[in-house]
């Protein structure tokens, strides 16, 4: 994009096109011959990583939209059907959902890199501002995307965020009504969010083109922060940058795959597996991890309008960065003070993120206020002041000099920084887990599950026994709406044959109709039917159970969680611990005690449960020894029942887990080899450039 | 200029609530007889939860006894209930901070507590503590008889 290219294709057909539309010249000059500084480090590969993520999000998103239904009554179910019934639907959904997190993770590194090396300074101001615009668009897109599954966190996140606009003086309420298309968040809101969520990524792609254009006009910044002057300072984009980016991308994909295949729910919130309910607010409303620092700023200001203004200013202030920091030296490498303040700023941002996930009370509020001041002080006081008082170290004369001066220990530094980064990322992301604090319940003991870990598989016997427990006990009150009889014969499930599943279905009476007389009738179940619910609707369930409707159990092991706390959630990231839900369900089933401890009062019609938040549960003790007999001689104890039925419910919530973990292993194997090959190819290509 | 504005208008106006939504937001009638003293019910009107509380003597006294100067959004209790129906408090159960649903009978003021950001309301639905800027809104309503109200 830096002027007309002298590139001429040799193929006559391409020549014919090139004379009419010089597109090959454009590609050649932008991505092949384009001179890139030779001293770029791996932080510069995040541009390529982000381009890939955008393409991947658009691709998976367009496919998901083919299966998704944007309607308040159907959205939650359609997402579940994507995951359960669409071929590889679970994979596409995990890629898209985790992809959003990865996209933000990469963009934060990209932004901090720009901040550290002064990539926003003259002549790259417009390039930087375009980046801020992309970031804002990403935030809007991410938020609207999070609303689409229409779970509890989707709904209440949408309520809280749209209500931010009610802080606008005079027009606030009208603006909010306009956004909602109703008197509260509802179906019209979901519909327009879907429409905009589909549109905005293409707008982002458009701004990315401008961003790259601006980059190719000004030229890339580099770690030394000196402009390329001679041929010796640069290498052609292809093969040098291309291969380096390919290596960076393949490493990033390994990190990405860890989430897709092994911990798809680590970054999500358990509450979002509960369908949206406008009548109940979750105890802690927490946005996705990538918004947490700004959420912390919003909450630390006691005045509503000022809080909203502060939150938006925290992002908009980035646009003014090129003028706030007027220091001549670009790279913080040569600015001893700026370097220290930069790292303090990074820590401030991570801590703000942590605070954003905590309940807004006591010490957290005070800490939030101090850190909010620090955040703004960095931009408004520290950077302008440093530009005046700091004496920078001398910068190298040229990029070539910088390369020569480098010691060989660079790869080791990059690797250690990478590890630190993954750790910090895990910590930051994991802090959401903290937000799921459950007051007044004991932490359930960790159980050993056959399905945990990277090679986990469901224990078939346990699944079959669990199904029996569900049928004979739980199904009296709890529905299992997303499980059809045919699923019992699915691979990776309880291991029944199709005939057995059909026989089991035939035991049930299913309501069908209307027939030719216009009347509803009952018929024996077929494999395609779903487990019938014990109550016709929520109100009936509520009325029959003392006011508390028994929840559907299809997703219960994913919809329940408990506080893991620091540093446990960091360890969880590496140990792939994903069994909070099963541990909790198992503990609840065993946690009933007849003797209520002193100091706890249980209302009439409720029961004491050691592990239930608040200890007062409406469900009476469901299981007792000897209640269900197993054919395979397993002990007829509550402990065994609880374990089996929890295993069964885990399968009900995650029916493709075995396939997921199996494919995950293959993908990992491939990616690791691919990354190693890329690394050596890169070494070979760069051998003469160092 | 006028043409441009006239063209843009439908494109923006379509976002507002449509005719069906507005029609569904018509007034509703609520029978108060089943609500015992000290209890409350939650009804939905225009997709918003509305708390109807049958206040106890103690709650009424607390609501009336507060010095107005100590309130962030000063409003006497008499302005928040209908004259002669002191025992009935009807408020929209949406926190004026960021729209969560406060929980009844919780918090330090015998009123409502919002679990999202910790705002606390008293037995008159007035903000007492926390980030919310205003009292819980009172929806338009009228007593048709002593035991029946119409909301809207």
């Amino acid at each position: 994009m830096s002027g007309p290219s002298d590139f001429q294709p040799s193929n006559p057909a391409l020549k014919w096109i090139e004379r009419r539309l010089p597109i090959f010249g454009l590609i050649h000059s932008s991505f092949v011959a384009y001179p890139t500084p030779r001293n770029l480090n791996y932080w510069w590969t995040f541009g390529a990583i982000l381009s890939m993520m955008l393409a991947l999000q658009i691709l998976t998103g367009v496919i998901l939209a083919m299966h998704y239904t944007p309607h308040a009554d159907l959205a939650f179910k359609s997402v579940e059907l994507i995951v359960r019934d669409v071929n590889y639907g679970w994979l596409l959904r995990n890629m898209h959902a985790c992809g959003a997190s990865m996209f933000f993770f990469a963009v934060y590194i990209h932004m901090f890199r720009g901040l550290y090396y002064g990539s926003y300074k003259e002549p790259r101001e417009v390039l930087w501002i375009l980046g801020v615009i992309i970031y804002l668009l990403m935030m809007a897109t991410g938020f609207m995307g999070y609303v689409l599954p229409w779970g509890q966190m989707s709904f209440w996140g949408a309520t809280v965020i749209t209500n931010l606009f009610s802080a606008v003086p005079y027009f606030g309420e009208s603006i909010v009504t306009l956004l909602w298309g109703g008197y509260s968040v509802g179906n019209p809101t979901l519909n327009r969010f879907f429409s905009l969520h589909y549109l905005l990524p293409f707008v982002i792609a458009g701004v990315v083109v401008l961003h790259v254009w601006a980059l190719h006009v000004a030229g890339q910044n580099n770690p030394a922060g000196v402009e390329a002057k001679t041929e010796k300072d640069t290498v052609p984009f292809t093969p040098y940058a291309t291969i380096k980016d390919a290596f960076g991308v393949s490493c990033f994909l390994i990190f990405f795959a860890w989430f897709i295949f092994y911990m798809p729910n680590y970054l999500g919130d358990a509450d979002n597996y509960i369908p949206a309910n406008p009548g109940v607010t979750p105890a802690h409303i927490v946005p996705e991890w990538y918004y947490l620092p700004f959420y912390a700023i919003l909450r630390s200001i006691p005045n509503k309008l000022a809080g909203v203004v502060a939150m938006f200013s925290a992002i908009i202030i980035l646009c003014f960065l090129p003028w706030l920091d007027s220091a001549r030296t670009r790279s913080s490498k040569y600015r001893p003070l700026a370097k220290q303040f930069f790292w303090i700023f990074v820590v401030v941002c991570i801590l703000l993120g942590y605070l954003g996930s905590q309940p807004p009370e006591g010490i957290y509020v005070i800490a939030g206020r101090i850190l909010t001041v620090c955040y703004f002080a960095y931009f408004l006081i520290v950077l302008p002041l440093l530009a005046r008082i700091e004496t920078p170290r001398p910068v190298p004369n040229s990029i070539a000099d910088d390369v020569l001066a480098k010691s060989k220990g660079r790869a080791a530094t990059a690797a250690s920084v990478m590890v630190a980064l993954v750790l910090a990322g895990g910590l930051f992301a994991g802090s959401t887990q903290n937000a799921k604090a459950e007051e007044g319940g004991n932490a359930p003991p960790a159980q050993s599950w056959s399905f945990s870990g990277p090679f986990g598989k469901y224990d078939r016997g346990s699944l079959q026994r669990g199904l029996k427990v569900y049928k004979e006990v739980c199904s009296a009150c709890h529905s299992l709406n997303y499980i059809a009889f045919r699923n019992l014969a699915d691979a990776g499930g309880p291991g029944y044959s199709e005939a057995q599943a059909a026989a089991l279905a035939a035991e049930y009476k299913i309501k069908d109709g209307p027939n030719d007389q216009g009347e509803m009738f009952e018929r024996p179940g077929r494999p395609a039917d779903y487990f019938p619910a014990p109550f016709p609707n929520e109100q009936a369930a509520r009325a029959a159970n003392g006011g508390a409707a028994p929840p559907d159990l299809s997703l219960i092991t994913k919809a329940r969680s408990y506080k893991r706390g620091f540093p446990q959630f960091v360890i969880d990231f590496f140990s792939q611990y994903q069994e909070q839900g099963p541990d909790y369900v198992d503990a609840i089933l065993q946690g009933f005690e007849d003797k209520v401890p002193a100091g706890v009062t249980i209302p009439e019609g409720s029961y004491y449960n050691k592990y239930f938040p608040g200890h007062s549960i409406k469900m009476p003790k469901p299981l007792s020894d000897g209640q269900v007999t197993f054919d395979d001689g397993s002990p007829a104890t509550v402990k065994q029942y609880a374990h089996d039925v929890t295993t069964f419910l885990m399968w009900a919530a995650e029916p493709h887990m075995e396939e997921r973990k199996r494919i995950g292993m293959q993908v990992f194997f491939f990616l690791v080899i691919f990354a190693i090959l890329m690394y050596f190819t890169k070494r070979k290509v760069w051998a003469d450039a160092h | 200029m006028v043409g441009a504005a006239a063209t843009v208008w439908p494109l923006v106006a379509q976002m507002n609530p449509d005719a069906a939504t507005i029609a569904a937001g018509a007034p509703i009638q609520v029978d108060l007889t089943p609500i015992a003293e000290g209890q409350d019910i939650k009804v939905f009107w225009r997709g918003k939860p509305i708390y109807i509380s049958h206040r106890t003597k103690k709650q009424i006294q607390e609501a009336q006894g507060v010095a107005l100067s100590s309130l962030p959004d000063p409003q006497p209790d008499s302005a928040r209930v209908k004259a002669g129906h002191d025992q009935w408090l009807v408020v929209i159960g949406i926190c004026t901070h960021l729209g969560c649903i406060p929980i009844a009978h919780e918090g330090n003021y015998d009123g409502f507590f919002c679990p999202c950001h910790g705002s606390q309301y008293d037995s008159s639905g007035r903000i007492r503590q926390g980030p919310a800027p205003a009292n819980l809104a009172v929806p338009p309503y009228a007593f048709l008889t002593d035991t029946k109200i119409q909301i809207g």
Side-chain angles (χ1 to χ4, degrees):
Chain A
M1 295 182 192
S2 40
S5 163
D6 48 7
F7 173 78
Q8 272 302 326
S10 46
N11 182 308
L14 298 186
K15 248 185 201 154
W16 187 88
I17 297 175
E18 182 71 10
R19 233 183 10 256
R20 286 154 181 85
L21 178 73
I23 189 163
F24 303 108
L26 180 73
I27 291 171
H28 185 266
S29 65
S30 306
F31 300 107
V32 180
Y34 180 71
T36 119
R38 352 183 347 182
N39 60 340
L40 296 188
N41 56 30
Y42 278 105
W43 300 119
W44 262 265
T45 60
F46 278 86
I49 290 171
L50 284 163
S51 312
M52 175 203 63
M53 285 311 300
L54 177 62
L56 207 59
Q57 286 301 88
I58 290 181
L59 182 71
T60 52
V62 167
I63 295 172
L64 287 172
M66 296 176 187
H67 302 281
Y68 171 78
T69 317
H71 187 281
D73 296 335
L74 305 171
F76 187 87
K77 189 172 180 186
S78 77
V79 172
E80 270 313 305
L81 294 183
I82 288 175
V83 169
R84 286 159 192 273
D85 289 348
V86 174
N87 295 331
Y88 297 102
W90 56 269
L91 175 62
L92 292 163
R93 199 248 168 149
N94 287 352
M95 278 172 79
H96 197 71
C98 300
S101 281
M102 294 298 110
F103 202 168
F104 275 96
F105 179 71
V107 94
Y108 282 133
I109 293 178
H110 194 65
M111 288 163 76
F112 278 126
R113 191 268 285 149
L115 205 56
Y116 184 83
Y117 292 111
S119 301
Y120 47 85
K121 288 173 193 263
E122 202 275 319
R124 299 187 180 84
E125 297 94 331
V126 171
L127 172 63
W128 174 262
I129 291 169
L130 284 169
V132 177
I133 293 172
I134 294 173
Y135 175 57
L136 275 172
L137 286 169
M138 276 176 66
M139 291 185 102
T141 313
F143 158 65
M144 291 187 199
Y146 192 59
V147 173
L148 301 185
W150 212 239
Q152 272 290 65
M153 236 6 122
S154 302
F155 182 90
W156 288 100
T159 301
V160 168
I161 301 298
T162 47
N163 260 308
L164 291 178
F165 293 93
S166 70
V168 175
Y170 307 114
F171 307 107
E173 291 301 325
S174 324
I175 294 174
V176 173
T177 308
L178 193 77
L179 288 176
W180 287 340
Y183 302 108
S184 55
V185 173
N187 192 47
T189 324
L190 177 60
N191 257 300
R192 61 190 58 177
F193 277 19
F194 176 61
S195 167
L196 292 174
H197 182 71
Y198 204 109
L199 165 74
L200 287 185
F202 298 97
V203 178
I204 293 178
V207 185
V208 165
V209 169
L210 296 180
H211 191 65
V212 173
W213 186 8
L215 173 74
H216 285 211
V217 170
Q220 282 169 291
N221 186 28
N222 60 79
V226 291
E227 295 293 335
K229 293 178 194 112
T230 59
E231 286 261 306
K232 267 165 62 188
D233 290 341
T234 62
V235 286
F237 191 89
T238 302
Y240 292 94
T242 323
I243 189 69
K244 198 167 184 171
D245 283 348
F247 174 59
V249 164
S250 53
C251 287
F252 189 80
L253 282 176
I254 293 177
F255 180 62
F256 186 14
W258 184 268
F259 286 100
I260 296 177
F261 293 103
Y262 295 116
M263 15 205 9
N265 295 312
Y266 183 74
L267 297 167
D269 196 301
D271 273 334
N272 225 26
Y273 280 109
I274 304 171
N277 182 348
V280 182
T281 318
H284 293 288
I285 295 189
V286 213
E288 290 287 81
W289 67 268
Y290 33 86
Y291 302 128
L292 287 175
F294 303 105
Y295 195 57
I297 291 176
L298 166 77
R299 295 195 309 185
S300 54
I301 304 211
N303 179 290
K304 182 171 163 179
L305 179 60
V308 173
V309 169
M311 187 183 77
F312 283 110
S313 317
I315 304 164
I316 301 301
I317 200 167
L318 290 172
C319 286
F320 299 95
L321 190 56
W323 297 277
L324 289 169
D325 175 14
S326 54
R328 286 260 172 72
T329 313
R330 283 206 190 93
S331 172
S332 293
K333 252 169 94 178
Y334 307 104
R335 301 180 59 190
L337 288 174
K339 190 194 250 173
Q340 290 174 28
F341 278 107
F342 169 81
W343 287 111
I344 293 174
F345 177 70
V346 173
V347 172
V348 165
C349 290
I350 292 177
L351 286 178
L352 272 174
Y354 177 76
L355 289 176
S357 73
Q358 297 301 315
E361 44 196 36
I363 182 76
Y364 296 128
V365 176
I366 298 158
R369 285 183 189 156
I370 294 169
L371 290 173
T372 302
V373 170
C374 292
Y375 181 94
F376 285 103
Y378 178 74
F379 292 107
L380 296 176
I381 300 171
V382 174
L383 286 179
L385 200 63
L386 280 184
R388 291 194 175 78
I389 61 166
E390 186 183 37
T391 341
R393 294 198 284 117
V395 298
N397 279 327
S398 71
I399 293 174
D401 283 0
D402 181 46
V403 173
L404 287 175
K406 272 226 178 85
S407 67
K408 287 194 172 171
R410 223 170 47 154
T413 336
S416 61
V417 169
M418 211 56 185
V419 169
L421 204 78
V422 169
L423 252 167
L427 184 112
F428 187 34
S431 57
T432 16
Q433 311 270 325
N434 252 20
K436 302 164 194 164
E438 289 192 293
E439 294 87 1
N442 297 346
Q447 308 275 343
S448 106
W449 299 105
S450 63
F451 48 81
S452 63
F455 302 102
K457 279 193 173 9
Y458 293 117
D459 174 353
R460 304 274 168 255
S462 194
L463 285 180
Q464 299 193 353
R465 291 192 298 273
L467 170 63
K468 192 158 195 248
V469 176
Y470 170 75
K471 265 173 65 188
E472 293 182 14
V473 186
C474 317
S475 66
C477 303
H478 291 278
S479 56
L480 197 61
N481 289 336
Y482 296 116
I483 303 297
F485 298 111
R486 66 185 156 86
N487 293 129
L488 299 173
D490 285 350
Y496 287 111
S497 67
E498 282 186 24
Q500 281 171 311
L504 200 135
E507 292 171 20
Y508 285 86
K509 287 267 170 285
I510 304 290
K511 198 167 194 180
D512 201 347
N515 60 13
D516 291 347
Q517 280 72 47
E519 278 153 19
M520 304 301 281
F521 61 93
E522 283 197 333
R523 58 162 174 81
R526 301 175 191 137
D529 290 322
Y530 286 80
F531 273 90
F535 301 103
N537 52 52
E538 198 194 315
Q539 283 73 10
R542 204 174 281 286
N545 288 283
D552 183 74
L553 294 185
S554 317
L555 285 163
I556 201 83
T557 51
K558 287 206 284 189
R560 295 291 183 272
S561 187
Y562 64 91
K563 181 178 170 139
R564 292 288 285 171
F566 181 83
Q568 198 57 46
F569 63 75
V570 183
I571 300 168
D572 289 350
F573 171 74
F574 294 100
S575 68
Q576 298 189 350
Y577 177 81
Q578 284 275 280
E579 282 77 37
Q580 287 106 311
D583 281 349
Y584 172 80
V585 172
D586 187 295
I588 285 288
L589 291 173
Q590 297 190 58
F592 286 89
E593 278 169 24
D594 294 336
K595 252 184 75 182
V596 178
V600 182
T601 46
I602 300 296
E604 186 81 15
S606 294
Y607 303 87
Y608 176 79
N609 190 306
K610 200 169 151 193
Y611 299 108
F612 193 71
H615 298 303
S616 157
I617 190 168
K618 279 276 187 185
M619 171 170 75
K621 186 174 190 291
L623 297 165
S624 43
D625 289 347
Q627 196 175 353
V628 181
T629 36
F630 293 135
D631 306 331
D632 63 357
S634 299
T637 58
V638 170
K639 193 171 182 323
Q640 184 71 31
Y641 296 154
H643 189 85
D644 289 341
V645 84
T646 307
T647 305
F648 173 70
L649 292 177
M650 188 65 219
W651 166 77
E654 196 73 39
H656 295 295
M657 187 211 72
E658 290 189 7
E659 189 188 8
R660 164 161 67 80
K661 289 183 176 173
R662 195 185 66 240
I663 295 183
M665 201 46 75
Q666 296 162 353
V667 169
F668 254 84
F669 191 67
F670 173 80
L671 281 179
V672 168
I673 292 180
F674 185 70
I676 292 171
L677 287 177
M678 279 297 142
Y679 178 69
F680 285 107
T681 321
K682 183 246 151 196
R683 284 259 307 245
K684 187 109 173 86
V685 168
W686 280 79
D688 54 342
H690 283 302
Chain B
M1 181 60 203
V2 174
T7 314
V8 168
W9 178 246
L11 299 179
V12 176
Q14 56 80 22
M15 287 181 71
N16 266 317
D18 63 16
T21 312
I22 293 170
I28 56 164
Q29 296 187 353
V30 183
D31 180 17
L32 302 179
T33 33
I35 314 169
E37 190 173 303
Q39 284 192 333
D40 52 73
I41 60 162
K42 193 161 71 174
V43 296
F44 277 85
W45 176 64
R46 293 191 166 181
K48 294 173 180 171
I50 301 209
Y51 278 113
I52 304 175
S53 307
H54 192 165
R55 301 192 291 181
T56 60
K57 291 253 152 48
K58 180 167 160 280
Q59 283 180 311
I60 299 172
Q61 276 166 10
E62 280 170 353
Q64 291 172 342
V66 180
L68 286 189
S69 54
S70 70
L71 296 173
D73 181 11
Q75 227 182 351
D77 187 52
S78 55
R80 302 182 51 79
V81 296
K82 300 288 177 199
H85 299 284
D86 277 346
Q87 71 274 40
W88 295 106
L89 175 73
V90 181
V91 287
I92 298 181
I94 290 181
C95 183
T96 52
H97 183 224
L98 293 173
C100 298
I101 300 181
I103 303 164
H105 302 299
E106 273 196 35
N108 301 333
Y109 300 94
D110 221 357
F112 306 86
F113 170 78
C114 180
C116 291
H117 303 99
S119 294
Q120 301 198 17
Y121 300 87
D122 65 11
S123 55
S124 187
R126 290 172 299 200
I127 180 66
R128 299 294 287 269
Q129 193 185 322
N135 302 333
L136 291 180
V138 178
Y141 75 99
F143 277 87
L144 299 177
T145 68
D146 270 355
T147 58
K148 193 172 223 176
I149 57 171
Q150 171 163 308
I151 300 174

